[in-house]
Amino acid sequence: MSLSDCEIIKLPKISDPRGNLTFVEGGVHIPFAIERVYYLYDVPGGEARGAHAHKALHQLMVAVSGSFSVTLDDGAERKTFFLNNPYTALYICPMIWRELHDFSSGSVCMVLASARYDEADYYRDYALFQQAGAAR
C-alpha cells in the first residue's frame, strides 16, 4: 500500500439545533471492522505523537475536539493533513509512517483500529520501516 491509499473521509453529520451527531460504521464508512478504539488527549504544547508505522493495522483518525496535523510517509513521499472537525477523518492504511503534531490546546484525537494492540505490528525505527518497504 502507498500514500495514495490514505485519504480524507467525510463522515455523516446529522445537524440538530440541540447539537450535532456524527457516527462511524465499520465496513460502511471505513474499509475495515473496528476492533479497538483509543484516543490521545492532554498532549502538551509542542509535543508530537506517533513516529511509527504498522505492518498490517488499518486506522481512522478523527479530531473529535480541537485540531492537529498528521504527516504521513510511505518511504517515497510525505504528505501532511490538518484535522480540525469531528466529521472529517483520515484513513491510514498499513505500512505508512505517521507523525502527529501541532496539537491545539484541549485537542482530542480518536483512533479507530482494525485490530487489538500488538507490539509485533509496529515499526518504531524509521530505517527499519524503509528497509521493509523496499523489500515489498
Side-chain angles (χ1 to χ4, degrees), residues 48-121:
R49 298 293 309 235
H52 64 268
H54 291 280
K55 298 172 185 174
L57 189 74
H58 296 259
Q59 293 183 315
L60 188 79
M61 287 189 180
V62 181
V64 294
S65 181
S67 64
F68 54 90
S69 294
V70 183
T71 299
L72 301 182
D73 180 338
D74 64 5
E77 180 184 358
R78 291 175 62 90
K79 186 173 182 181
T80 299
F81 298 86
F82 181 66
L83 299 178
N84 66 345
N85 66 61
Y87 54 88
T88 300
L90 176 60
Y91 167 67
I92 305 173
C93 63
M95 292 303 294
I96 301 293
W97 189 266
R98 79 278 327 270
E99 297 170 1
L100 288 74
H101 49 94
D102 299 328
F103 287 87
S104 68
S105 178
S107 62
V108 178
C109 170
M110 180 179 68
V111 181
L112 310 178
S114 65
R116 294 180 182 195
Y117 176 81
D118 179 5
E119 182 60 33
D121 185 59

Side-chain angles (χ1 to χ4, degrees), residues 9-48:
I9 296 174
K10 293 290 186 187
L11 300 172
K13 178 182 175 186
I14 300 172
S15 297
D16 187 290
R18 301 168 297 166
N20 299 324
L21 181 141
T22 291
F23 59 96
V24 181
E25 295 177 347
V28 176
H29 303 111
I30 57 176
F32 60 86
I34 301 164
E35 288 291 323
R36 179 169 54 116
V37 177
Y38 65 92
Y39 42 96
L40 305 168
Y41 56 97
D42 292 341
V43 178
E47 290 297 322

